[in-house]
Amino acid sequence: MTTAFTPVDLPAWERQQHFEFFKDFHQPYFNVCVSLQAWPLYEYCRSNKVSFFLAYLYLAHISAIEYQPMGLRIHNGEAVHCADPRVSVVQLAEDETFRFSYLSSAPSFAAYRQHHQEQSAVSLREPLFSEAFACTEGQCDLIHISVLPWLNFSAFSHATHSGASNGIPKLVFGQYDKKSRTMPLALDVHHALMDGLHSARFIQILQKKFLNPKKYLKS
């Protein structure tokens, strides 16, 4: 799959110096961990008999597309923008190891659910190093999303490698707490592309969707 990137006009970008400063850091990502008010989304999914997991996955995906900085990447050492990023999401296989499913955007939640069903059925039959993995991992139009539905965590860190970083954002959703009616979200972003203010604004966009799920999930 060939993805179109728009080069960032670096001299006109207010973060040009920040980009140059952070882009070659050995560990350029920073992490924030927050508690999302998740009860309206959880109750909506329960009442309408739809997957809570697929609902928050979809809302995260459309929020990332909506908020321009979440599409910024580093491609061949240059700042670029991807207007329609895909999601790479982990799912548990029967042998209790994980697989990656790769999801493109969809015009509705119903279409997204169908797309996920098709992609998940394929990925769960394949080994981790599948043809889809070989064709997709390493491309920078992705957003990495993981889930830890067994843990209500308050901090998170990712495994990293020493290769060149392309600035892919990483989201991890934790366990929904029925008592507090919240769920944790960890967000990792590349400091050459985003600051804390941008992280906060993306989380605010996602939180608003959690509070008004009917608007975004209705067929």
Side-chain angles (χ1 to χ4, degrees), residues 56-98:
Y56 67 70
L57 180 66
Y58 175 71
L59 294 183
H61 197 163
I62 64 174
S63 295
I65 293 172
E66 176 181 336
Y67 189 54
Q68 188 269 354
M70 288 289 285
L72 291 170
R73 301 291 185 272
I74 302 173
H75 184 59
N76 295 328
E78 302 296 328
V80 299
H81 183 258
C82 175
D84 191 18
R86 295 174 292 162
V87 157
S88 168
V89 61
V90 298
Q91 291 184 253
L92 199 66
E94 289 186 2
D95 62 1
E96 296 191 339
T97 63
F98 67 83

Side-chain angles (χ1 to χ4, degrees), residues 44-45 50-51 54-56 58-59 106-114 216-219:
Y44 177 89
C45 293
V50 298
S51 166
L54 284 181
Y56 67 70
Y58 175 71
L59 294 183
S108 67
F109 181 46
Y112 197 79
R113 288 159 60 188
Q114 179 63 34
Y216 302 98
L217 302 181
K218 63 182 179 180
S219 300

Side-chain angles (χ1 to χ4, degrees), residues 128-141:
L128 177 63
F129 294 150
S130 63
E131 181 178 349
F133 180 94
C135 294
T136 309
E137 284 302 317
Q139 297 184 18
C140 62
D141 68 319

Side-chain angles (χ1 to χ4, degrees), residues 39-212:
W39 63 269
L41 178 60
Y42 182 83
E43 292 299 331
Y44 177 89
C45 293
R46 188 175 68 167
S47 298
N48 290 275
K49 296 180 172 57
V50 298
S51 166
F52 181 52
F53 160 69
L54 284 181
Y56 67 70
L57 180 66
Y58 175 71
L59 294 183
H61 197 163
I62 64 174
S63 295
I65 293 172
E66 176 181 336
Y67 189 54
Q68 188 269 354
M70 288 289 285
L72 291 170
R73 301 291 185 272
I74 302 173
H75 184 59
N76 295 328
E78 302 296 328
V80 299
H81 183 258
C82 175
D84 191 18
R86 295 174 292 162
V87 157
S88 168
V89 61
V90 298
Q91 291 184 253
L92 199 66
E94 289 186 2
D95 62 1
E96 296 191 339
T97 63
F98 67 83
R99 303 291 188 271
F100 295 110
S101 290
Y102 303 102
L103 306 177
S104 301
S105 59
S108 67
F109 181 46
Y112 197 79
R113 288 159 60 188
Q114 179 63 34
H115 177 46
H116 174 270
Q117 182 179 357
E118 294 166 356
Q119 295 301 312
S120 178
V122 173
S123 64
L124 291 176
R125 291 196 303 265
E126 300 290 331
L128 177 63
F129 294 150
S130 63
E131 181 178 349
F133 180 94
C135 294
T136 309
E137 284 302 317
Q139 297 184 18
C140 62
D141 68 319
L142 298 173
I143 295 169
H144 292 159
I145 298 182
S146 298
V147 295
L148 284 176
W150 318 279
L151 291 174
N152 195 287
F153 56 80
S154 58
F156 195 89
S157 63
H158 287 274
T160 59
H161 60 79
S162 58
S165 176
N166 53 23
I168 292 176
K170 303 176 188 297
L171 288 76
V172 182
F173 289 95
Q175 182 184 62
Y176 175 69
D177 186 330
K178 293 182 179 179
K179 184 176 181 180
S180 67
R181 304 196 296 182
T182 63
M183 68 184 300
L185 167 66
L187 172 65
D188 275 46
V189 297
H190 198 296
H191 215 343
L193 304 173
M194 292 175 62
D195 299 323
L197 176 63
H198 305 105
S199 296
R201 285 176 174 165
F202 167 73
I203 291 168
Q204 288 168 358
I205 289 170
L206 179 59
Q207 178 65 86
K208 287 180 180 178
K209 290 177 173 55
F210 270 52
L211 295 176
N212 189 15

